[in-house]
Amino acid sequence: MQALVIAAHGSHLNPDASDPTYAHADTVRETGAFDEVREAFWKEEPHFREVIRTLESDEVFVVPLFISEGYFTEQVIPRELRLEEWDPEKWDSDGTSASQVTLEAEDVGKTIHYCGPVGTHDAMTDVIVQRAESVTEDPDVGEGFGLAVVGHGTERNENSAKAVEYHTERIREMDRFDEAKALFMDEEPEVDDVTDYFETEDIVVVPLFIADGYHTQEDIPEDMGLTEDYRLGWDVPSEVDGHRIWYAGAVGTEGLMADVILERAADAGADIGDAVESVREATCLETGAEPEPSAEPGD
Amino acid sequence: MTAPPARVEALLEAVDDDGAVAFDDLRIERAEDGYALETADEEWTSLAADDLADALEPLSDYVTNWRYWQRSVGGEGTARRAFLRWCERAPLEIETDAGTTDDETTDEPVATHPSVDDPLSVPERYNALRDGLDREWGQLCLTARLVDDADDDPAGERVYDLWHVDDADSDLADLEVYDDPRDAREIATYDGDGRYRPLKTAPTLPSGWAFTGLSGGELVETVEFFYPATVANWHRELQGTLDVDHWTETAERQTGIYDVLDELPREGVEWMAEACCVDSQCLRRREWEFDEGDELDVDGGDGPFPCREPCSLVVAAARKWTILESEDEHTYELELTTSEYNQLAELIDAVAEGRTDEIREADVNDGANRYRARYLRAKRFDEAGDLEARRVDD
């Protein structure tokens, strides 16, 4: 038997914070690829601390629903899962290349395949692009459009910006959008000045965040000038300085995220059959577009 | 030899494969002189194969009971199986450190566990299951019953229903009926007033819904969405293997903004347990103490689920109190009438007990009445909106 645990942050205050986790877990459940699928949280229940013992499977794949390698993926989750032999060195990562490490959870004696976060997987690039397709309702969006990938950016964790820049570079290499830029909330180049960085009239803005919340639904829309007050809402697209801004909200709410979770588990050795294909079919745009294959599947 | 009746076929195969079957009150053994068959009430020996099938025919409850548990449920040794056995008051097959034990011969720890009571024999269970056998799990009422229509399922299959204990006497037509375990997530997210429930074991689960016709696996899944990890930790407690992390271990493990937790003084931990970890606030029973062999004075409560370490809500709140306890105390001087001084105490008490919504608008005898609170604010707050007071040790 094999189980999948999706490890997410959750919230004591905001009931919506866990929605994407539940949604992607359900998509994976529908594929039947795992005998058990469980959501686990830092701020909700089941807590990281308790989750492994609720499983009957001996092989457990833990995929962190986080954007970057850092405090949560390198310290909190392994510690709370009681992965005693954990050491960040075992990931042998440059900040965006963690794949997986196999360890034992000491309280239950099960084999844990601890995977890198979803945010740095190559398949995440496709999710960002699909987010652009969803928000423009155009499966061929690209020509005449600029794409901005927005990250938090913080001095405390350089990996936070690395993930944003990594996917931006990959999108640029696709040569699909006229321009692609990495922008940040707390460091240069700032998302406040989004229109300064693009020549194209149309700009799709995709925040590399897991869940919609304070930053994606309040801070960023106001900073970009989409609205005076987030409570009034904003149009998609909105006119700002002669540009049309297609603001997508958190990429983590995109249906195709379930695919990244599956790919992480598959990279770690999970037998998932044709689950990836079925998720791609189930989550592609309803406009009849063929799902695009991952640029480098399983890489 | 004539073909055995379908309902006993699998059982006879199991006897032939293994030489014997012993499950609940049914025992069958293949000996040199034929088969021996035994139930709680009767026994046969030296049965030929055909005679064994015939003898089993009137014992269909024993036969289908074996099939349900050994073939449909399976999962020997799992928490899921133990929980489903508990649901119908079947003897629990619990392995403790002392080895496999039988419920009738063991006093510790199974029989003394608060959720375990007298087990029923197979005929007693079948009688009860025909009417539906009710159990309580926190604020959940669980009913185990035999399937209504044996055409679709083999005889003896169980199904399970689940609703709020407050709805135990409600007509199903008055409840919102579900059959997908995942719907429990949404129900458990908000209380009856539509407020978010970050603590799943808070005694604030709303009523008005029912899950019907769940399989055993679906029942456990649904219960786990309502009360995550309670089945696993209950099972561990029964086995005597519940791992408890006491306050100091939990506090010392923290990093980041929670790194300060181990500085919360002992009496602060006591006040915190009194504030958060009591029956009125949580259905879990606090098993963690200040440290191993160093118990808190506050009672852990009588909740049905063991709490094996401070939860994330307690950890987050403890940070606030650690910072508060690190501050110096000062003496303040403020002008209050005797009634106003008493009113402050009433206000704090009403908020702490979650009573403010119950205070009637015109009940001006209650110190936490909204108009009285607004009057106090109008009279005693300054223009900046602060309580007018003077620190006298400046």
Side-chain angles (χ1 to χ4, degrees):
Chain A
M1 286 179 77
Q2 59 175 13
L4 174 70
V5 170
I6 304 175
H9 192 284
S11 167
H12 289 152
L13 299 173
N14 175 8
D16 304 327
S18 49
D19 286 353
T21 315
Y22 289 141
H24 305 319
D26 286 349
T27 305
V28 175
R29 281 187 179 99
E30 302 287 344
T31 69
F34 291 88
D35 300 291
E36 298 168 284
V37 176
R38 197 81 80 236
E39 306 90 339
F41 301 97
W42 171 235
K43 293 286 187 181
E44 296 181 35
E45 297 164 88
H47 193 269
F48 299 150
R49 216 57 201 154
E50 313 265 43
V51 67
I52 305 294
R53 64 185 53 199
T54 70
L55 301 166
E56 290 183 17
S57 307
D58 287 325
E59 293 277 323
V60 182
F61 297 83
V62 177
V63 177
L65 198 61
F66 284 80
I67 290 298
S68 53
E69 295 170 29
Y71 178 58
F72 277 98
T73 56
E74 291 186 350
Q75 285 191 52
V76 175
I77 299 173
R79 179 188 78 213
E80 298 294 294
L81 292 177
R82 301 175 181 80
L83 306 178
E84 306 279 335
E85 298 295 315
W86 164 256
D87 184 318
E89 294 295 315
K90 288 182 192 271
W91 258 352
D92 190 24
S93 173
D94 62 7
T96 58
S97 61
S99 176
Q100 75 103 28
V101 58
T102 300
L103 300 153
E104 181 150 309
E106 298 294 330
D107 60 325
V108 286
K110 290 180 193 288
T111 302
I112 310 296
H113 303 277
Y114 183 54
C115 302
V118 289
T120 55
H121 194 279
D122 282 355
M124 191 69 182
T125 310
D126 298 342
V127 185
I128 296 168
V129 172
Q130 198 189 55
R131 195 86 191 123
E133 296 173 9
S134 306
V135 72
T136 56
E137 297 179 11
D138 178 2
D140 300 318
V141 63
E143 196 179 341
F145 274 76
L147 178 65
V149 184
V150 180
H152 193 290
T154 164
E155 289 172 2
R156 286 172 302 174
N157 174 15
E158 61 176 21
N159 288 343
S160 166
K162 275 187 190 170
V164 179
E165 281 154 359
Y166 180 70
H167 293 297
T168 306
E169 183 56 33
R170 282 170 53 84
I171 290 167
R172 202 173 288 132
E173 286 167 7
M174 283 178 181
D175 215 16
R176 170 169 173 162
F177 295 87
D178 287 4
E179 298 168 84
K181 290 272 166 22
L183 302 177
F184 300 95
M185 293 183 63
D186 283 359
E187 60 183 69
E188 296 282 337
E190 290 196 357
V191 68
D192 307 37
D193 311 318
V194 58
T195 53
D196 294 351
Y197 295 100
F198 287 88
E199 309 251 313
T200 54
E201 190 174 332
D202 287 286
I203 307 167
V204 179
V205 177
V206 180
L208 198 60
F209 287 73
I210 291 296
D212 272 319
Y214 175 65
H215 290 313
T216 64
Q217 296 301 301
E218 301 181 23
D219 267 14
I220 297 175
E222 288 184 5
D223 289 352
M224 287 194 300
L226 301 185
T227 179
E228 291 273 303
D229 182 338
Y230 73 91
R231 285 166 294 195
L232 301 172
W234 54 88
D235 294 327
V236 178
S238 286
E239 291 281 335
V240 177
D241 299 336
H243 293 262
R244 270 194 300 274
I245 308 281
W246 302 75
Y247 180 61
V251 68
T253 62
E254 186 67 32
L256 193 56
M257 278 290 288
D259 169 67
V260 188
I261 294 168
L262 280 166
E263 303 245 18
R264 272 281 181 232
D267 293 350
D271 175 9
I272 61 168
D274 58 0
V276 166
E277 289 74 28
S278 67
V279 164
R280 283 180 170 258
E281 275 167 34
T283 58
C284 69
L285 273 186
E286 287 177 358
T287 49
E290 288 293 317
E292 289 184 27
S294 172
E296 293 161 312
D299 187 13
Chain B
M1 172 181 162
T2 55
R7 77 169 44 172
V8 302
E9 198 167 2
L11 177 58
L12 295 180
E13 277 173 19
V15 175
D16 281 342
D17 288 349
D18 303 333
V21 159
F23 181 71
D24 280 353
D25 298 328
L26 177 69
R27 280 166 227 289
I28 305 171
E29 201 171 326
R30 190 177 56 203
E32 282 182 10
D33 61 343
Y35 294 93
L37 165 64
E38 187 185 337
T39 69
D41 306 317
E42 296 174 281
E43 63 175 285
W44 297 260
T45 52
S46 313
L47 292 170
D50 288 354
D51 296 336
L52 175 61
D54 289 344
L56 284 169
E57 197 47 23
L59 301 175
S60 67
D61 289 354
Y62 289 95
V63 174
T64 63
N65 182 66
W66 171 84
R67 185 175 55 207
Y68 179 67
W69 289 108
Q70 303 301 79
R71 293 292 182 265
S72 298
V73 174
E76 202 140 328
T78 62
R80 167 177 59 92
R81 180 183 174 96
F83 181 74
L84 293 173
R85 303 257 317 157
W86 172 85
C87 281
E88 63 176 63
R89 290 175 59 187
L92 294 177
E93 315 143 310
I94 295 296
E95 281 194 19
T96 66
D97 291 342
T100 308
T101 59
D102 192 271
D103 62 285
E104 288 163 349
T105 59
T106 308
D107 291 329
E108 292 287 335
V110 176
T112 57
H113 191 277
S115 69
V116 174
D117 41 22
D118 292 340
L120 303 177
S121 69
V122 173
E124 286 171 329
R125 262 190 275 148
Y126 268 66
N127 275 338
L129 286 168
R130 286 186 183 97
D131 296 333
L133 206 162
D134 291 343
R135 297 293 246 167
E136 282 189 15
W137 190 257
Q139 288 185 286
L140 303 177
C141 178
L142 322 170
T143 303
R145 57 185 169 86
L146 296 171
V147 287
D148 297 321
D149 183 1
D151 290 342
D152 292 333
D153 296 293
E157 289 295 296
R158 275 72 152 164
V159 287
Y160 302 87
D161 309 320
L162 174 65
W163 43 72
H164 195 288
V165 286
D166 292 350
D167 288 326
D169 298 323
S170 296
D171 198 331
L172 203 56
D174 296 329
L175 304 175
E176 192 84 32
V177 178
Y178 301 91
D179 61 9
D180 185 339
R182 289 178 258 169
D183 290 324
R185 289 187 310 221
E186 182 73 16
I187 296 169
T189 300
Y190 302 93
D191 68 14
D193 296 323
R195 283 178 302 207
Y196 178 40
R197 299 173 68 242
L199 181 65
K200 290 285 199 298
T201 45
T204 55
L205 190 68
S207 57
W209 47 268
F211 288 80
T212 58
L214 299 174
S215 69
E218 289 169 338
L219 175 79
V220 175
E221 206 181 339
T222 310
V223 167
E224 283 283 288
F225 280 133
F226 279 116
Y227 295 133
T230 54
V231 172
N233 283 325
W234 163 82
H235 190 232
R236 279 175 168 257
E237 187 174 52
L238 280 179
Q239 292 175 302
T241 57
L242 184 70
D243 47 340
V244 175
D245 278 8
H246 297 288
W247 170 257
T248 50
E249 295 165 72
T250 306
E252 285 166 8
R253 192 178 75 232
Q254 304 301 317
T255 52
I257 61 169
Y258 300 112
D259 189 35
V260 298
L261 251 62
D262 55 359
E263 293 163 29
L264 181 63
R266 165 72 187 247
E267 53 187 358
V269 180
E270 294 275 1
W271 292 324
M272 180 180 73
E274 186 178 333
C276 305
C277 307
V278 292
D279 291 346
S280 68
Q281 306 302 309
C282 183
L283 295 171
R284 275 181 287 198
R285 161 174 34 88
R286 183 176 53 73
E287 292 295 326
W288 55 268
E289 302 292 347
F290 187 74
D291 213 339
E292 178 79 44
D294 185 0
E295 292 194 7
L296 295 172
D297 290 338
V298 185
D299 186 66
D302 299 317
F305 315 125
C307 176
R308 46 163 301 283
E309 69 176 35
C311 69
S312 72
L313 272 176
V314 159
V315 164
R319 176 171 174 263
K320 272 281 169 213
W321 292 318
T322 304
I323 294 163
L324 177 153
E325 294 297 345
S326 72
E327 296 170 359
D328 294 330
E329 291 190 339
H330 302 287
T331 304
Y332 291 88
E333 197 175 75
L334 64 166
E335 303 294 321
L336 293 174
T337 71
T338 303
S339 289
E340 286 167 347
Y341 174 78
N342 291 337
Q343 192 187 349
L344 281 183
E346 288 185 63
L347 275 165
I348 291 168
D349 187 65
V351 172
E353 293 302 321
R355 198 166 61 76
T356 51
D357 285 350
E358 298 161 22
I359 300 166
R360 288 167 294 174
E361 186 161 329
D363 185 3
V364 291
N365 290 322
D366 195 313
N369 170 270
R370 190 168 77 243
Y371 294 125
R372 280 192 56 189
R374 291 176 64 83
Y375 185 95
L376 186 68
R377 183 175 67 175
K379 178 178 174 184
R380 297 295 184 191
F381 282 24
D382 60 23
E383 283 174 0
D386 297 322
L387 185 60
E388 279 178 16
R390 195 166 57 84
R391 221 168 91 177
V392 295
D393 55 357
D394 268 345

